[in-house]
Each structure stands twice: as C-alpha cells, then as structure tokens.
Amino acid sequence: RLWLFAGSAAGQRFNDLWMFNMELQVWFEFARDAETSPPAMEDHIAVWDPGGLALWIFGGYDGTDFLQELWRFTAGSWTRWPTS
C-alpha cells in the first residue's frame, strides 16, 4: 500500500487521504469528516505502522501556523493524540 495525505497546489491546502492498492493498481479516496479529520496542511510527516495497521501524521503547516499535532488514522477514522 502507498498512502498519500494532504499537501498543497497553487496556494490551496488539502486534507484528503488516498491509498493506492498495489495488487489492484487502484487508488481509493477515504471520506473526510470536518469535525474529526486533521486540518488541511502541507509539510507534515507521515508514517505507516504495519503492526498497528495505522497511519500516523505529525506536524505540518496550515498556511498560518506550524502545527504540533499528532493524528492517527485506523479502521477508517481519525483520532487526534495529545502531545506534550
């Protein structure tokens, strides 16, 4: 699997999530929920955790601020994790 989250183009930031299934050679877009999804951003870090079957996102830039947020995507939903 190849995961793609957010980014920017022509000054607009996105918070869309895509997964490429290499066996099927098909992209899948996951639905967004404005209340539970991370904000639109760019310049973040993403890591896939194969043991926990989760995508982790940290940091990023929302156009105004550099974010210090940690997000986890698993089982089709996002959770914001506390940071210290």
Side-chain angles (χ1 to χ4, degrees):
R1 294 181 180 148
L2 172 69
W3 292 89
L4 179 65
F5 173 73
S8 65
Q12 181 179 2
R13 284 164 196 83
F14 303 97
N15 70 337
D16 48 346
L17 177 64
W18 294 80
M19 187 267 297
F20 184 73
N21 183 310
M22 293 187 190
E23 287 181 21
L24 300 176
Q25 298 288 297
V26 175
W27 283 99
F28 295 96
E29 182 178 14
F30 290 83
R32 291 181 296 277
D33 180 343
E35 294 186 26
T36 60
S37 296
M41 66 174 76
E42 61 184 317
D43 298 329
H44 52 282
I45 296 170
V47 177
W48 174 250
D49 172 12
L53 297 177
L55 179 67
W56 291 88
I57 305 288
F58 179 76
Y61 179 68
D62 67 3
T64 303
D65 297 309
F66 288 97
L67 307 173
Q68 298 296 313
E69 300 175 358
L70 178 63
W71 291 86
R72 179 177 183 241
F73 181 80
T74 188
S77 65
W78 287 102
T79 305
R80 184 174 174 186
W81 285 63
T83 55
S84 300

